[in-house]
Amino acid sequence: MDFTLPADLIAYLDELDRFIAQKIKPLEEENDNIRFFDHRREWARTDFEHGGLPRKEWEALLRKAKDLADEAGHLRFAVPKRYVCITICRTSIRSSGIFRS
């Protein structure tokens, strides 16, 4: 069996590694964001005083990371373009106010 990875996949993995090093790692090191990833992560991510919901700071950090990944083209990497188009259309329709209750 040939377990050689295709050149385009190797190139993409290199690009993804650069993105993580340049965008995500600095985000993790910003302020005290490391608390969401080290041994304190469960307590940092969870608001136990409000039913165990995720803390707003954690959700904001996730949103920022997702936005960075989306801008770089990594978030929807595996999604076929036709589904991205459908999602854009649905978002546009919803924002038009047609489906307001």
Side-chain angles (χ1 to χ4, degrees):
M1 279 191 134
D2 181 13
F3 293 104
T4 306
L5 296 176
D8 59 335
L9 179 58
I10 293 170
Y12 178 70
L13 291 174
D14 288 341
E15 178 185 336
L16 192 58
D17 287 343
R18 280 191 304 279
F19 166 75
I20 291 168
Q22 294 172 358
K23 300 291 185 176
I24 300 301
K25 192 67 176 164
L27 185 61
E28 178 187 67
E29 295 168 352
E30 230 176 58
N31 303 319
D32 187 29
N33 288 340
I34 193 67
R35 74 186 185 276
F36 295 115
F37 303 98
D38 65 14
H39 66 280
R40 304 169 287 171
R41 67 183 168 269
E42 197 63 38
W43 294 98
R45 295 175 183 177
T46 308
D47 190 347
F48 293 104
E49 291 79 30
H50 293 98
L53 295 172
R55 291 189 188 276
K56 290 182 182 162
E57 301 92 342
W58 170 237
E59 289 189 325
L61 182 63
L62 287 177
R63 169 55 46 207
K64 193 169 185 180
K66 281 183 175 181
D67 289 347
L68 289 169
D70 199 17
E71 289 170 14
H74 300 301
L75 187 63
R76 302 169 211 288
F77 172 74
V79 178
K81 291 188 187 307
R82 68 176 184 217
Y83 295 126
V84 173
C85 181
I86 290 169
T87 301
I88 291 169
C89 290
R90 286 182 178 170
T91 301
S92 177
I93 290 169
R94 284 188 184 132
S95 66
S96 71
I98 294 172
F99 297 107
R100 292 185 192 192
S101 39

